[in-house]
Amino acid sequence: MSRRGLLAAVGAGAAGTGIAVAVAAEPPAPTATDVVPFEGAHQAGIATDVQAHLHFAAFDVLADDAAGLAGLLRDWTAAARALVSGRPVGEGGAVGGDPLAPPADTGEALGLPAARLTLTVGLGPSLFDDRFGLAARRPAALVDLPAFPGDTLDPARCGGDLAVQACADDPQVAVHAIRTLSRIAAGRAAVRWAQLGYGRAATVDPSAPTPRNLFGFKDGTANVPGADTAALDEHVWVAADDALAPGERWMTGGTYLVARRIAMHIETWDRTSLAEQEQVVGRTKGEGAPLGGSREHEAFDPATLPTASHVRLAHPSRHGGARMLRRGFNYTDGATGLGRLDAGLFFLAYQRDVRRAFVPVQQALAADDALNEYVRHTGSGVWAVPPGVGAGGWWGEQLLA
């Protein structure tokens, strides 16, 4: 194939999948710090330091029974062990197999480092139906999210039996991971919807600079630190003493994920005065200090902030001390039909119980948040995220073995 023909083929493939395929520059040599350990008590990609890029995908399961579902998760786990270590997937990899057969690995990550890739899997409420005999094992905390005032959800961007969050410091590594898992799932699961993200909009490292969202404000100032084991135990990980029914105990050590695609009215915000922007958020745009304060991380009384400000309404003191570990990413998906920027925040939050964290917080925000004039929620999903795996273990083993 000519170079022009090759480029045309790549462009056609990208148009058909919605995935941008880029030619990578010469990569740096891999180092030990590129690899995030896959095995552990909890899945990686939650308390892990937030990477620079995201590829998130929700899947509908096509397998006929629990054995088919378990086989898919076993195969995914085996592939994930290779992917996160920077190794090609399958016998022969991308170039070493039978030249007359499709390669086992698609090859676009050849030569790239592991780039701190993490893969995190969740199980949606829709998985716990009659198809797989799992209805009695659905955790009580895995609730279907209620309808919130102002939601403009697109059903094509909601739900999913399974979810996979791929985070990496190289966007092509993250895309390769989801592409690989999708390929392995052929006939057993199909992508329902997906989202690319960049420019992390949260950090779990309090010593790192707080990232900014596309409104220009620091986001996640009071996030749960990834190294604070006490805070993680209190707010993120499901504990054995969480009054779990016998059928729910497989979730011990797991957590719950809520994802929301939040479109931002960028052009409207950009025409808003700085003073009004700060009143809406409840913090200064430069330093990120609470209004009336001077430092980002100083203590403050939320009652001193504007009544409808985002920070006041979301403050843990208003919700029984509930906190979530946030791993949001900015996204830009081109332009809308009206020529406006199709961009916003892909919100990802991990919590011990959705009923006591995300739901009450979002109910308060949806009712009164001044920020609602500038945002709308267009996609949504909730998943139970099982605990991590040990040597030889696989995702969902506690539920399906």
Side-chain angles (χ1 to χ4, degrees):
M1 182 181 290
S2 68
R3 181 175 182 273
R4 179 172 295 179
L6 175 61
L7 291 175
V10 170
T17 62
I19 298 173
V21 180
V23 177
E26 186 66 25
T31 66
T33 58
D34 286 329
V35 177
V36 176
F38 179 75
E39 296 172 352
H42 313 289
Q43 287 194 54
I46 303 170
T48 308
D49 285 347
V50 184
Q51 300 93 321
H53 299 277
L54 166 80
H55 192 181
F56 186 95
F59 292 80
D60 290 330
V61 176
L62 308 177
D64 294 328
D65 52 29
L69 173 61
L72 170 63
L73 292 173
R74 283 192 186 95
D75 291 346
W76 269 7
T77 306
R81 282 190 165 94
L83 289 165
V84 302
S85 65
R87 295 184 285 112
V89 170
E91 187 176 349
V95 296
D98 183 349
L100 300 180
D105 187 284
T106 51
E108 73 272 23
L110 279 177
L112 296 178
R116 295 200 305 124
L117 172 68
T118 55
L119 290 163
T120 313
V121 164
L123 314 178
S126 57
L127 194 71
F128 294 84
D129 57 15
D130 295 335
R131 290 173 295 167
F132 311 112
L134 299 176
R137 306 201 69 188
R138 175 175 171 174
L142 184 59
V143 296
D144 293 296
L145 296 179
F148 298 106
D151 276 358
T152 57
L153 301 179
D154 177 357
R157 293 185 180 273
C158 294
D161 294 331
L162 301 172
V164 182
Q165 171 195 280
C167 297
D169 287 329
D170 186 308
Q172 188 142 309
V173 170
V175 168
H176 173 249
I178 294 296
R179 177 182 176 183
T180 298
L181 297 185
S182 300
R183 191 180 187 212
I184 291 170
R188 296 181 288 178
V191 175
R192 179 180 178 88
W193 58 275
Q195 181 67 56
L196 294 171
Y198 69 92
R200 51 183 169 259
T203 179
V204 297
D205 181 359
S207 67
T210 306
R212 295 182 184 270
N213 58 37
L214 294 182
F215 282 162
F217 278 76
K218 293 183 177 182
D219 206 332
T221 294
N223 202 13
V224 176
D228 188 338
T229 56
L232 292 171
D233 288 342
E234 180 178 0
H235 299 291
V236 179
W237 309 129
V238 177
D241 60 358
D242 278 1
L244 300 177
E248 302 177 78
R249 290 174 186 162
W250 60 272
M251 271 296 292
T252 302
T255 184
Y256 294 93
L257 167 65
V258 172
R260 302 281 282 187
R261 186 179 187 271
I262 305 173
M264 293 177 164
H265 302 312
I266 299 292
E267 291 79 7
T268 304
W269 181 262
D270 290 346
R271 293 192 295 268
T272 302
S273 71
L274 174 60
E276 184 175 345
Q277 289 181 1
E278 293 184 336
Q279 289 286 308
V280 166
V281 174
R283 287 186 177 272
T284 61
K285 193 169 189 176
E287 169 62 23
L291 294 184
S294 59
R295 302 185 314 279
E296 178 186 359
H297 295 285
E298 68 182 67
F300 66 97
D301 180 356
T304 64
L305 302 180
T307 303
S309 66
H310 182 79
V311 170
R312 174 172 174 160
L313 292 172
H315 197 272
S317 64
R318 296 177 56 91
H319 307 286
R323 298 172 66 192
M324 295 173 276
L325 187 153
R326 296 167 53 192
R327 292 181 63 91
F329 287 81
N330 299 314
Y331 75 85
T332 304
D333 289 342
T336 68
L338 299 176
R340 296 172 181 166
L341 196 62
D342 183 1
L345 172 69
F346 193 65
F347 173 92
L348 295 164
Y350 290 90
Q351 60 230 271
R352 186 169 173 174
D353 193 324
V354 174
R355 299 165 297 180
R356 295 178 176 85
F358 178 80
V359 169
V361 172
Q362 183 56 29
Q363 285 173 331
L365 294 175
D368 298 311
D369 191 358
L371 198 59
N372 291 336
E373 181 180 349
Y374 305 97
V375 302
R376 56 190 175 91
H377 291 232
T378 61
S380 180
V382 58
W383 293 271
V385 178
V389 300
W394 47 279
W395 284 322
E397 180 178 14
Q398 301 89 342
L399 173 65
L400 294 164

